PDB file of all heavy atoms in Angstrom:
ATOM      1  N   GLN Q 250     112.821 113.395  92.890  1.00 89.00           N
ATOM      2  CA  GLN Q 250     112.347 114.536  93.738  1.00 89.00           C
ATOM      3  C   GLN Q 250     113.384 114.946  94.713  1.00 89.00           C
ATOM      4  O   GLN Q 250     113.606 116.203  94.938  1.00 89.00           O
ATOM      5  CB  GLN Q 250     111.064 114.157  94.510  1.00 89.00           C
ATOM      6  CG  GLN Q 250     110.250 115.398  94.935  1.00 89.00           C
ATOM      7  CD  GLN Q 250     108.938 114.937  95.578  1.00 89.00           C
ATOM      8  OE1 GLN Q 250     108.942 114.408  96.640  1.00 89.00           O
ATOM      9  NE2 GLN Q 250     107.817 115.258  94.902  1.00 89.00           N
ATOM     10  N   LEU Q 251     114.125 114.013  95.345  1.00 88.00           N
ATOM     11  CA  LEU Q 251     115.191 114.370  96.225  1.00 88.00           C
ATOM     12  C   LEU Q 251     116.301 115.066  95.503  1.00 88.00           C
ATOM     13  O   LEU Q 251     116.815 116.110  96.005  1.00 88.00           O
ATOM     14  CB  LEU Q 251     115.744 113.057  96.899  1.00 88.00           C
ATOM     15  CG  LEU Q 251     116.880 113.251  97.918  1.00 88.00           C
ATOM     16  CD1 LEU Q 251     116.431 114.109  99.102  1.00 88.00           C
ATOM     17  CD2 LEU Q 251     117.376 111.928  98.387  1.00 88.00           C
ATOM     18  N   LEU Q 252     116.663 114.627  94.334  1.00 86.00           N
ATOM     19  CA  LEU Q 252     117.691 115.348  93.523  1.00 86.00           C
ATOM     20  C   LEU Q 252     117.320 116.744  93.248  1.00 86.00           C
ATOM     21  O   LEU Q 252     118.064 117.657  93.365  1.00 86.00           O
ATOM     22  CB  LEU Q 252     117.965 114.543  92.221  1.00 86.00           C
ATOM     23  CG  LEU Q 252     118.839 113.312  92.323  1.00 86.00           C
ATOM     24  CD1 LEU Q 252     118.758 112.524  90.969  1.00 86.00           C
ATOM     25  CD2 LEU Q 252     120.248 113.726  92.619  1.00 86.00           C
ATOM     26  N   GLY Q 253     116.028 116.919  92.800  1.00 86.00           N
ATOM     27  CA  GLY Q 253     115.533 118.241  92.482  1.00 86.00           C
ATOM     28  C   GLY Q 253     115.491 119.170  93.649  1.00 86.00           C
ATOM     29  O   GLY Q 253     115.884 120.361  93.575  1.00 86.00           O
ATOM     30  N   ALA Q 254     115.125 118.635  94.875  1.00 88.00           N
ATOM     31  CA  ALA Q 254     115.069 119.509  96.067  1.00 88.00           C
ATOM     32  C   ALA Q 254     116.400 119.964  96.531  1.00 88.00           C
ATOM     33  O   ALA Q 254     116.575 121.012  97.061  1.00 88.00           O
ATOM     34  CB  ALA Q 254     114.337 118.714  97.160  1.00 88.00           C
ATOM     35  N   LEU Q 255     117.460 119.074  96.342  1.00 86.00           N
ATOM     36  CA  LEU Q 255     118.754 119.382  96.871  1.00 86.00           C
ATOM     37  C   LEU Q 255     119.623 120.114  95.830  1.00 86.00           C
ATOM     38  O   LEU Q 255     120.777 120.472  96.149  1.00 86.00           O
ATOM     39  CB  LEU Q 255     119.440 118.108  97.358  1.00 86.00           C
ATOM     40  CG  LEU Q 255     118.788 117.501  98.590  1.00 86.00           C
ATOM     41  CD1 LEU Q 255     119.490 116.174  98.971  1.00 86.00           C
ATOM     42  CD2 LEU Q 255     118.786 118.449  99.753  1.00 86.00           C
ATOM     43  N   GLU Q 256     119.125 120.326  94.646  1.00 83.00           N
ATOM     44  CA  GLU Q 256     119.878 120.966  93.586  1.00 83.00           C
ATOM     45  C   GLU Q 256     120.224 122.435  94.045  1.00 83.00           C
ATOM     46  O   GLU Q 256     119.361 123.185  94.532  1.00 83.00           O
ATOM     47  CB  GLU Q 256     119.056 121.040  92.302  1.00 83.00           C
ATOM     48  CG  GLU Q 256     119.842 121.629  91.113  1.00 83.00           C
ATOM     49  CD  GLU Q 256     119.008 121.615  89.837  1.00 83.00           C
ATOM     50  OE1 GLU Q 256     118.058 120.860  89.776  1.00 83.00           O
ATOM     51  OE2 GLU Q 256     119.319 122.408  88.973  1.00 83.00           O
ATOM     52  N   GLY Q 257     121.502 122.761  93.957  1.00 78.00           N
ATOM     53  CA  GLY Q 257     121.921 124.094  94.407  1.00 78.00           C
ATOM     54  C   GLY Q 257     122.115 124.252  95.852  1.00 78.00           C
ATOM     55  O   GLY Q 257     122.603 125.232  96.380  1.00 78.00           O
ATOM     56  N   ILE Q 258     121.856 123.173  96.617  1.00 81.00           N
ATOM     57  CA  ILE Q 258     122.067 123.207  98.061  1.00 81.00           C
ATOM     58  C   ILE Q 258     123.176 122.190  98.445  1.00 81.00           C
ATOM     59  O   ILE Q 258     124.225 122.539  98.961  1.00 81.00           O
ATOM     60  CB  ILE Q 258     120.808 122.792  98.829  1.00 81.00           C
ATOM     61  CG1 ILE Q 258     119.698 123.823  98.590  1.00 81.00           C
ATOM     62  CG2 ILE Q 258     121.095 122.617 100.318  1.00 81.00           C
ATOM     63  CD1 ILE Q 258     118.396 123.434  99.213  1.00 81.00           C
ATOM     64  N   ALA Q 259     122.961 120.961  98.073  1.00 80.00           N
ATOM     65  CA  ALA Q 259     123.929 119.924  98.261  1.00 80.00           C
ATOM     66  C   ALA Q 259     123.895 119.114  96.984  1.00 80.00           C
ATOM     67  O   ALA Q 259     123.151 118.157  96.844  1.00 80.00           O
ATOM     68  CB  ALA Q 259     123.542 119.017  99.438  1.00 80.00           C
ATOM     69  N   ASP Q 260     124.687 119.551  95.975  1.00 75.00           N
ATOM     70  CA  ASP Q 260     124.660 118.917  94.697  1.00 75.00           C
ATOM     71  C   ASP Q 260     125.128 117.509  94.798  1.00 75.00           C
ATOM     72  O   ASP Q 260     126.302 117.267  94.949  1.00 75.00           O
ATOM     73  CB  ASP Q 260     125.400 119.731  93.668  1.00 75.00           C
ATOM     74  CG  ASP Q 260     124.766 121.039  93.282  1.00 75.00           C
ATOM     75  OD1 ASP Q 260     123.511 121.067  93.196  1.00 75.00           O
ATOM     76  OD2 ASP Q 260     125.437 122.085  93.191  1.00 75.00           O
ATOM     77  N   ILE Q 261     124.177 116.559  94.749  1.00 81.00           N
ATOM     78  CA  ILE Q 261     124.524 115.169  94.846  1.00 81.00           C
ATOM     79  C   ILE Q 261     124.198 114.498  93.487  1.00 81.00           C
ATOM     80  O   ILE Q 261     123.372 115.014  92.701  1.00 81.00           O
ATOM     81  CB  ILE Q 261     123.710 114.414  95.981  1.00 81.00           C
ATOM     82  CG1 ILE Q 261     122.228 114.459  95.687  1.00 81.00           C
ATOM     83  CG2 ILE Q 261     124.087 115.047  97.321  1.00 81.00           C
ATOM     84  CD1 ILE Q 261     121.468 113.674  96.720  1.00 81.00           C
ATOM     85  N   LYS Q 262     124.888 113.420  93.299  1.00 86.00           N
ATOM     86  CA  LYS Q 262     124.686 112.684  92.014  1.00 86.00           C
ATOM     87  C   LYS Q 262     123.496 111.739  92.205  1.00 86.00           C
ATOM     88  O   LYS Q 262     123.123 111.383  93.311  1.00 86.00           O
ATOM     89  CB  LYS Q 262     125.946 111.840  91.712  1.00 86.00           C
ATOM     90  CG  LYS Q 262     127.168 112.739  91.458  1.00 86.00           C
ATOM     91  CD  LYS Q 262     128.368 111.847  91.252  1.00 86.00           C
ATOM     92  CE  LYS Q 262     129.587 112.797  91.060  1.00 86.00           C
ATOM     93  NZ  LYS Q 262     130.818 112.144  91.485  1.00 86.00           N
ATOM     94  N   ARG Q 263     122.975 111.268  91.045  1.00 86.00           N
ATOM     95  CA  ARG Q 263     121.896 110.326  91.077  1.00 86.00           C
ATOM     96  C   ARG Q 263     122.303 109.106  91.890  1.00 86.00           C
ATOM     97  O   ARG Q 263     121.484 108.545  92.648  1.00 86.00           O
ATOM     98  CB  ARG Q 263     121.491 110.005  89.661  1.00 86.00           C
ATOM     99  CG  ARG Q 263     120.309 108.967  89.621  1.00 86.00           C
ATOM    100  CD  ARG Q 263     119.826 108.692  88.247  1.00 86.00           C
ATOM    101  NE  ARG Q 263     118.755 109.426  87.690  1.00 86.00           N
ATOM    102  CZ  ARG Q 263     117.585 109.805  88.249  1.00 86.00           C
ATOM    103  NH1 ARG Q 263     117.400 109.539  89.483  1.00 86.00           N
ATOM    104  NH2 ARG Q 263     116.668 110.402  87.607  1.00 86.00           N
TER     105      ARG Q 263
END
Side-chain angles (χ1 to χ4, degrees):
Q250 201 176 68
L251 181 61
L252 281 169
L255 295 177
E256 185 179 339
I258 297 174
D260 289 321
I261 63 173
K262 297 176 183 155
R263 182 176 263 317

